[in-house]
């Protein structure tokens, strides 16, 4: 465990994708909401975004089908926008299926309310917080040796020291565990 809850990007992606495929085989409003939440989570993980950014992205691409779109980065005052990309496994039919429930949820609860609902559901269902998906993505890119500057651009971090902190802390922990001091 640690700042990223120890989530492995690839394992978590496979888990969420498997659960999405299971949800597709079920009917009813509960299964439809589950599909929506899983599409949002897969998108968040795939892009290293915050959950609110993933909701905004899915809302945009479900209105005018597209595989990518710009979203405003949360927690930045400069209105910076970043590109987000739909996971390849999510098809137009998936977006069309959840579009109505997404619009209804946004109208009923607003984006902040949806963030809270999804965050609670994820914690209850999987035992981790949604922000851990962002960290798993950052760790994954760092392990693949992408420069922190590129990771920061992808994730919308304004300050490079956040990326350096995340990636160096993880690398230091892994090195300490691997050292044979006896």
């Amino acid at each position: 465990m640690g700042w990223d809850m120890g989530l492995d990007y690839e394992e978590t992606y496979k888990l969420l994708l498997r659960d999405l495929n299971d949800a597709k085989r079920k009917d009813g409003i509960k299964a439809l909401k589950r599909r929506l939440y899983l599409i949002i989570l897969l998108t968040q993980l795939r892009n290293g975004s915050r959950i609110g950014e993933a909701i905004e992205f899915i809302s945009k691409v479900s209105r005018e089908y597209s595989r990518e779109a710009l979203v405003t980065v949360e927690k930045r005052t400069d209105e910076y926008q970043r590109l987000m990309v739909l996971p390849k496994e999510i098809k137009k039919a998936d977006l069309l299926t959840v579009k109505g429930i997404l619009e209804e949820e946004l109208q009923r609860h607003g984006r902040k309310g949806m963030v809270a609902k999804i965050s609670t559901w994820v914690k209850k269902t999987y035992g981790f917080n949604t922000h851990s998906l962002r960290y798993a993505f950052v760790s994954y890119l760092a392990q693949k040796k992408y420069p922190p500057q590129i990771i920061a651009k992808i994730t919308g971090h304004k300050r490079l020291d956040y990326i350096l902190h995340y990636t160096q802390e993880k690398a230091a922990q892994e090195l300490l565990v691997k050292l044979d001091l006896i």
Side-chain angles (χ1 to χ4, degrees):
M1 293 297 186
W3 53 265
D4 66 354
M5 305 270 312
L7 294 183
D8 178 85
Y9 174 87
E10 292 173 334
E11 288 177 17
T12 305
Y13 197 92
K14 288 175 188 173
L15 169 68
L16 296 175
L17 189 59
R18 184 198 71 218
D19 287 356
L20 175 61
N21 289 328
D22 287 346
K24 286 180 184 181
R25 290 189 282 275
K26 297 178 181 167
D27 293 324
I29 192 73
K30 190 173 181 178
L32 196 56
K33 280 187 183 181
R34 184 177 180 92
R35 284 174 74 173
L36 172 62
Y37 291 1
L38 288 163
I39 287 170
I40 291 168
L41 294 173
L42 278 165
T43 300
Q44 181 187 9
L45 179 61
R46 162 64 176 81
N47 291 276
S49 70
R50 291 175 180 86
I51 189 72
E53 295 164 359
I55 292 168
E56 178 186 339
F57 173 77
I58 294 299
S59 180
K60 276 186 176 185
V61 299
S62 68
R63 283 191 308 266
E64 294 179 19
Y65 180 72
S66 175
R67 304 269 336 147
E68 55 189 56
L70 293 173
V71 296
T72 302
V73 175
E74 294 177 2
K75 301 199 177 191
R76 285 189 58 167
T77 57
D78 59 358
E79 298 298 315
Y80 180 80
Q81 292 192 321
R82 62 176 289 218
L83 181 70
M84 289 183 62
V85 178
L86 194 64
K88 65 182 178 202
E89 297 86 357
I90 298 173
K91 308 298 181 205
K92 184 175 184 178
D94 296 319
L95 293 177
L96 292 174
T97 302
V98 299
K99 181 181 177 185
I101 193 78
L102 172 61
E103 291 170 353
E104 183 181 306
E105 291 282 298
L106 283 171
Q107 187 174 11
R108 181 180 299 151
H109 304 288
R111 189 165 120 181
K112 286 185 180 181
M114 268 196 80
V115 166
K117 280 186 74 171
I118 294 171
S119 296
T120 300
W121 180 81
V122 168
K123 188 72 171 170
K124 181 181 171 186
T125 305
Y126 296 106
F128 58 79
N129 64 56
T130 59
H131 210 65
S132 297
L133 299 173
R134 181 169 167 85
Y135 296 140
F137 179 78
V138 169
S139 294
Y140 176 76
L141 292 182
Q143 289 170 354
K144 298 289 184 188
K145 307 292 185 212
Y146 287 98
Q149 298 89 334
I150 298 298
I151 298 171
K153 278 292 185 189
I154 291 170
T155 59
H157 282 91
K158 188 174 187 176
R159 294 178 37 193
L160 192 57
D161 58 331
Y162 291 125
I163 297 295
L164 292 174
H165 171 75
Y166 296 156
T167 57
Q168 289 175 353
E169 182 176 337
K170 184 73 170 176
Q173 290 171 353
E174 289 173 359
L175 175 61
L176 184 59
V177 170
K178 289 179 183 176
L179 287 175
D180 184 14
L181 300 175
I182 299 177

